[in-house]
Amino acid sequence: MKVVVVGGTGLIGSKLVALLSAQGHEAVAASPGTGVNTLTGEGLSAVLVGAEVVVDVSNSPSFEAAAVLEFFETSTRNLLAAEAAAGVRHHVALSVVGTERLPDSGYFRAKIAQEKLIESSSVPYSLVHATQFFEFVAGILDSATDGATVRLAHVLIQPMAADDVAAALLGVTVGAPRNGRVEVAGPEQFRLDDLGRRVLTARSDPRDVVTDPAATYFGAVLEEDTLVPLGDAALGSTRLEDWMAR
């Protein structure tokens, strides 16, 4: 079948396109670089001709609250309208575990808004909530850095490899719409501050991690289990040590 992957040239999208192609599907990477812009609508109608499934793994170029809300609301509205007109039968969107528990963050408020638009659309859908990627841990540490100090809360986190995220998306994409949420996570839980220390040590990074209960996570104060699945979740197979060894 034809599957259009919005954000298909990025970290997760490019992996998903490769997996779909390996299974014999017609996987089309859609991004501004390939002439498809969900914010303006440019190229949407053309790329969706004959598409059965659309997977949205795109992300906002800015994490500033107003900008990220504008991105997710506008791009999602444009995408869903074009899908309905083209007869797309399944909309798959990648989101984040704990999104609904992080309303203090402008980014996560925007993701909530995106999900509400998808849920109210006429297009059958599946929402894939993933925990943070190993590949983004460095960004988490950088966002919590003040000089040579990294301030992190002693809360649970269950990160996963981007390869495992793409594999989970593949399974949802080729299946029937869930009209609900699927949660995926890594095989191990850590404490966020302990994870930060392990990663910095492995990279010979001299920064010092300080455990701070008041430390925020992209503008939001974390509870013990904000970043981990609260119920059943499909678990990836890649462990932190194996990922770092690569």
Side-chain angles (χ1 to χ4, degrees):
M1 61 184 175
K2 179 179 177 180
V3 181
V4 175
V5 181
V6 179
T9 57
L11 173 65
I12 302 299
S14 59
K15 293 178 183 294
L16 179 59
V17 166
L19 291 174
L20 287 164
S21 298
Q23 286 196 354
H25 301 288
E26 180 188 354
V28 180
S31 69
T34 65
V36 180
N37 190 319
T38 54
L39 272 179
T40 64
E42 177 190 2
L44 270 181
S45 296
V47 78
L48 293 181
V49 172
E52 296 182 44
V53 183
V54 170
V55 184
D56 185 5
V57 295
S58 63
N59 210 349
S60 173
S62 169
F63 281 16
E64 189 275 325
V68 72
L69 181 63
E70 171 68 15
F71 174 84
F72 281 120
E73 286 193 328
T74 301
S75 63
T76 301
R77 284 195 183 99
N78 288 340
L79 188 54
L80 291 169
E83 288 174 23
V88 171
R89 297 187 295 185
H90 190 186
H91 178 96
V92 180
L94 179 62
S95 192
V96 188
V97 165
T99 291
E100 70 283 359
R101 305 195 294 274
L102 287 163
D104 291 340
S105 164
Y107 180 84
F108 291 102
R109 287 197 301 272
K111 292 298 288 183
I112 292 170
Q114 178 191 32
E115 292 186 25
K116 288 181 177 178
L117 289 170
I118 293 167
E119 290 166 345
S120 63
S121 167
S122 63
V123 181
Y125 70 92
S126 299
L127 298 174
V128 178
H129 277 215
T131 54
Q132 292 299 329
F133 312 158
F134 291 141
E135 289 81 358
F136 289 169
V137 171
I140 294 172
L141 299 179
D142 290 345
S143 72
T145 296
D146 180 11
T149 300
V150 184
R151 297 189 177 278
L152 298 170
H154 190 65
V155 297
L156 293 171
I157 188 169
Q158 195 169 338
M160 65 189 301
D163 285 337
D164 290 345
V165 177
L169 279 168
L170 173 68
V172 173
T173 299
V174 300
R178 308 294 183 93
N179 290 318
R181 176 191 306 171
V182 177
E183 292 199 325
V184 296
E188 306 168 285
Q189 284 191 352
F190 305 90
R191 294 289 176 172
L192 181 56
D193 51 344
D194 293 337
L195 176 65
R197 293 185 184 97
R198 288 182 64 172
V199 171
L200 292 180
T201 297
R203 297 182 175 182
S204 300
D205 190 313
R207 284 178 290 177
D208 181 45
V209 173
V210 172
T211 302
D212 182 354
T216 60
Y217 180 81
F218 298 106
V221 176
L222 298 173
E223 301 293 336
E224 168 81 358
D225 55 6
T226 302
L227 301 178
V228 298
L230 299 182
D232 292 334
L235 302 183
S237 59
T238 307
R239 299 172 70 87
L240 176 65
E241 292 296 334
D242 297 329
W243 181 81
M244 290 196 299
R246 297 174 184 175

